[in-house]
């Protein structure tokens, strides 16, 4: 099994910064790469603010906060991932962008380093084939918010070596997560089952069956879900949600996966949820 001590994270969005915190808390040396130095600095500032809040709430000591931050380096330079034993890519859900980054990374990291993607739906095998090390490529799919959510889906493309999957499962375990293994199919387990529900919730609201707040209240109270579908869509991000539905529809042609028009229009309007302070709700 590959011995992992250094973890590279590509992407400084919701998931990139969450993954950095998870890996640094687990004791790994972490390098986060953003496209701009400003973006990279913002990740560090955001992580510090989040950890400081936890110190205030006495969930973390100040020494622990400093130790976690001390293990995190941020950069805008891809070549600073050269020494990573494992890189987890977590940039925008667009195949062309991810493929180009995998090809570049393949030239930069050590020959035995594992390249993983945090994609929610895209075919991992296509990223594997963008490299000269398809046997060392897999999906390591964390959930949002990464520091809180217990589950990790380890995605096995047909090209992956058993050892790559074993190492990915062990890595997830070392981060305190429960890993499940799943084939490289759009949506894996969770999103393939979750997104028809979220999409149909928006459809139900479009049909004026009930108000948004009442649909959320109903699913919380009636199913014991921690939040309703609209609050969850805002948390995931409407652009990411639309990309997930489009990828699911592309693969399976199931009408339940065909994104409802409202979702597409809101994304076109830049109303992406919590991250833009306006989604189904205002923040
Ligand atoms: N949001 C979720 O709930 C969630 C959960 C699990 C997995 N994911 C997956 O994680 C990945 C990132 O999602 P997110 O929610 O963090 O998105 P986000 O919008 O918060 O962040 C996207 C990141 O990609 C970067 N980016 C955009 N275009 C780029 C380009 N051309 N080259 C390099 N970087 C670029 C952005 O600067 C940003 O850092 C996606 O693959 C998504 O499917 C998301």
């Amino acid at each position: 099994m590959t011995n992992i001590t250094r973890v590279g994270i590509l992407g400084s969005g919701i998931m990139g910064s969450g993954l950095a915190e998870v890996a640094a808390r687990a004791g790994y040396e972490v390098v986060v790469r953003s496209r701009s130095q400003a973006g990279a600095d913002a990740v560090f500032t955001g992580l510090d603010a989040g950890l400081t809040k936890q110190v205030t709430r006495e969930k973390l000591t100040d020494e622990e906060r400093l130790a976690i931050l001390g293990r995190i380096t941020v950069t805008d330079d891809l070549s600073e991932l050269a020494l990573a034993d494992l890189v987890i890519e977590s940039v925008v859900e667009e195949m062309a962008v991810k493929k180009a980054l995998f090809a570049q990374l393949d030239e930069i990291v050590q020959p035995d380093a594992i390249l993983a993607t945090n994609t929610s739906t895209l075919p991992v095998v296509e990223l594997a084939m963008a490299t000269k090390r398809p046997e060392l490529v897999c999906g390591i799919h964390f959930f949002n918010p990464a520091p809180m959510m217990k589950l990790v889906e380890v995605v096995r493309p047909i090209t992956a070596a058993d050892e790559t999957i074993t190492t990915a499962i062990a890595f997830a375990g070392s981060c305190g997560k429960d890993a499940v293994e799943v084939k490289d199919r759009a949506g894996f387990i969770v999103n393939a089952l979750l997104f028809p529900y979220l999409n149909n919730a928006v459809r139900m609201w479009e049909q004026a069956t009930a108000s948004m707040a009442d649909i959320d209240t109903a699913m919380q109270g009636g199913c014991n879900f921690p939040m309703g579908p609209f609050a969850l869509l805002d948390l995931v991000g409407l652009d990411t949600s639309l990309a997930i539905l489009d990828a699911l529809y592309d693969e399976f042609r199931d009408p339940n996966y065909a994104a409802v028009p409202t979702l597409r229009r809101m994304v076109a309007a830049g109303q992406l949820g919590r991250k833009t302070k306006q989604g189904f709700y205002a923040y």
Side-chain angles (χ1 to χ4, degrees):
M1 243 177 22
T2 310
N3 187 24
I4 295 171
T5 54
R6 285 172 297 253
V7 177
I9 308 284
L10 261 184
S12 54
I14 305 175
M15 293 306 291
S17 54
L19 297 184
E21 179 177 331
V22 168
R25 273 177 179 270
Y28 294 102
E29 295 296 325
V30 178
V31 182
V32 186
R33 189 267 183 172
S34 177
R35 282 175 300 171
S36 67
Q37 192 56 47
D41 293 340
V43 171
F44 198 85
T45 312
L47 286 171
D48 190 9
L51 294 172
T52 302
K53 216 179 264 175
Q54 293 181 44
V55 174
T56 314
R57 292 183 189 150
E58 294 181 359
K59 290 197 169 142
L60 198 70
T61 67
D62 205 44
E63 292 71 48
E64 286 169 330
R65 175 185 72 89
L66 289 171
I68 294 168
L69 289 176
R71 287 192 284 273
I72 300 175
T73 311
V74 296
T75 180
D76 63 352
D77 181 359
L78 202 61
S79 68
E80 286 196 34
L81 300 187
L83 294 178
D85 310 299
L86 165 70
V87 177
I88 309 177
E89 166 281 314
S90 194
V91 304
V92 68
E93 188 77 334
E94 284 178 29
M95 182 51 95
V97 173
K98 289 186 191 283
K99 257 190 185 172
L101 280 170
F102 268 71
Q104 272 179 284
L105 272 176
D106 190 36
E107 301 294 325
I108 289 169
V109 298
Q110 307 163 88
D112 59 348
I114 293 180
L115 301 180
T117 174
N118 187 37
T119 182
S120 305
T121 38
L122 298 173
V124 180
V125 69
E126 289 193 33
L127 300 176
M129 296 311 288
T131 73
K132 294 187 205 78
R133 63 179 85 201
E135 69 286 359
L136 286 168
V137 176
C138 69
I140 304 185
H141 182 222
F142 284 81
F143 289 77
N144 182 18
M148 278 173 60
M149 300 294 282
K150 265 306 235 182
L151 184 71
V152 167
E153 290 175 323
V154 171
V155 184
R156 181 194 281 268
I158 53 176
T159 42
D162 286 345
E163 208 183 306
T164 302
I165 302 303
T166 314
T167 305
I169 290 172
F171 169 75
S174 74
C175 293
K177 306 297 183 191
D178 298 328
V180 292
E181 186 185 323
V182 55
K183 274 190 196 170
D184 182 21
R185 295 284 184 279
F188 315 129
I189 299 171
V190 173
N191 286 334
L193 293 174
L194 175 66
F195 272 84
Y197 152 68
L198 295 177
N199 199 33
N200 281 314
V202 183
R203 183 173 290 126
M204 180 180 268
W205 173 63
E206 278 184 344
Q207 292 166 345
T209 304
S211 71
M212 198 184 292
D214 280 355
I215 296 172
D216 271 356
T217 302
M219 295 314 289
Q220 280 182 275
C223 293
N224 232 0
F225 288 175
M227 66 181 80
F230 296 96
L232 182 54
L233 282 161
D234 279 354
L235 178 72
V236 171
L238 302 199
D239 53 342
T240 301
S241 298
L242 180 61
I244 291 170
L245 281 164
D246 284 346
L248 283 163
Y249 187 75
D250 262 6
E251 181 128 312
F252 299 112
R253 304 285 156 183
D254 177 333
N256 283 302
Y257 292 135
V260 294
T262 296
L263 197 57
R264 210 173 285 286
R265 297 299 179 277
M266 288 175 73
V267 171
Q271 297 176 7
L272 307 184
R274 282 179 181 270
K275 62 185 163 188
T276 58
K277 302 199 174 357
Q278 178 66 55
F280 288 104
Y281 297 105
Y283 298 89

